[in-house]
Amino acid sequence: MQFPPTNGDFTFVSSTEAEELSGSISAPDVKLNMSGGGGGDGGRDPYATAFLRQRGYGWLLEVEEEDSEDSKPLLEELDIDLKDIYYKIRCVLMPMPSLGFNRQVVRDNPDFWGPLAVVLLFSMISIYGQFRVVSWIITIWIFGSLTIFLLARVLGGEVSYGQVLGVIGYSLLPLIVIAPLLLVIRGFEVVSTLAKLSGVFWAAYSAASLLVGDEFKTKKPLLIYPIFLLYIYFLSLYTGV
């Protein structure tokens, strides 16, 4: 007796004379071609590819693509623009509007590395072998800028903490400029005092002209005064007086 197949894959044969069951299974031949020849799927045999994908092993055929992008320069990775920093330094050292510099870029396009370099330079010329002064000057820069920022916001100024941090840091440059002069005229008390006052006024004017906008109106002295005191304190860290 022979039972007809139900799905086209199996054939059953039954014999009434013998208690014996035999059968055969037919399946299409599957060829795996692992050669590196060309093809539509990376050189793989299409039958093998279809066989693996139908059974959920398509992930074996996936190949990670190598990142072809060139590595960026270190300065670009750290977001350091030396030309921009140099331009901002010139804006701070020459704050007169008649010179034609767009000084608002110091406030409107703040960065971190330029002010940090200026603060570190001021710290290095202030230590006289006492390296603990470096961390203290950086602390005064961070928290002094935070105080100016909070006061500016209370008075209605539209500035961010990053902008204040950058302006206060860059405006230390006048104190760095007068530092070598103070070493030369140390013995002349009157001249030395005038040089110190000039440096403080120079730094405070440079910072205040950027931070104190028209939105403060009659409240400008309330912000200019603490900026002036902050630079006096910075100078005292350098001179020890």
Side-chain angles (χ1 to χ4, degrees):
M1 182 177 181
Q2 180 173 349
F3 299 93
T6 58
N7 58 0
D9 292 334
F10 300 94
T11 302
F12 296 95
V13 178
S14 175
S15 175
T16 56
E17 298 179 355
E19 296 180 357
E20 183 176 325
L21 180 64
S22 63
S24 62
I25 300 175
S26 61
D29 295 335
V30 178
K31 298 179 180 180
L32 298 177
N33 185 7
M34 303 304 293
S35 62
D41 194 359
R44 301 183 180 90
D45 187 83
Y47 296 104
T49 302
F51 177 78
L52 292 175
R53 294 189 184 279
Q54 288 177 359
R55 284 155 179 77
Y57 296 103
W59 56 270
L60 293 173
L61 304 174
E62 296 178 358
V63 179
E64 295 183 358
E65 297 182 358
E66 297 181 358
D67 188 7
S68 59
E69 296 182 359
D70 297 332
S71 59
K72 297 180 180 179
L74 179 60
L75 293 180
E76 186 175 350
E77 289 286 347
L78 296 177
D79 195 20
I80 299 176
D81 190 345
L82 296 180
K83 292 183 179 180
D84 181 62
I85 293 175
Y86 175 66
Y87 185 81
K88 291 177 180 177
I89 290 175
R90 295 172 64 191
C91 291
V92 171
L93 291 178
M94 292 175 283
M96 287 71 70
S98 58
L99 296 177
F101 290 107
N102 181 19
R103 301 187 65 249
Q104 291 301 318
V105 72
V106 182
R107 168 180 169 172
D108 298 337
N109 187 24
D111 66 286
F112 176 74
W113 298 108
L116 179 62
V118 174
V119 173
L120 289 177
L121 179 59
F122 179 75
S123 302
M124 296 304 294
I125 66 174
S126 303
I127 56 177
Y128 292 110
Q130 299 178 3
F131 289 95
R132 63 180 180 272
V133 180
V134 176
S135 60
W136 181 243
I137 290 177
I138 294 177
T139 302
I140 295 301
W141 170 49
I142 293 174
F143 287 97
S145 299
L146 179 61
T147 303
I148 300 298
F149 163 71
L150 294 176
L151 184 58
R153 298 294 291 182
V154 169
L155 295 176
E158 298 296 332
V159 293
S160 66
Y161 177 61
Q163 291 174 332
V164 177
L165 196 69
V167 170
I168 295 298
Y170 274 118
S171 296
L172 277 173
L173 286 168
L175 299 184
I176 296 176
V177 171
I178 69 168
L181 179 62
L182 293 178
L183 295 177
V184 176
I185 61 176
R186 181 183 302 175
F188 304 93
E189 185 176 351
V190 177
V191 179
S192 179
T193 302
L194 291 177
K196 293 176 184 178
L197 290 176
S198 300
V200 171
F201 276 111
W202 186 3
Y205 173 77
S206 181
S209 60
L210 291 170
L211 294 177
V212 180
D214 294 334
E215 64 269 20
F216 292 101
K217 297 181 179 179
T218 59
K219 301 177 182 179
K220 290 182 179 181
L222 297 177
L223 190 63
I224 296 175
Y225 182 66
I227 292 175
F228 181 76
L229 292 180
L230 180 61
Y231 286 108
I232 288 180
Y233 187 69
F234 273 122
L235 183 65
S236 68
L237 293 176
Y238 169 68
T239 58
V241 180

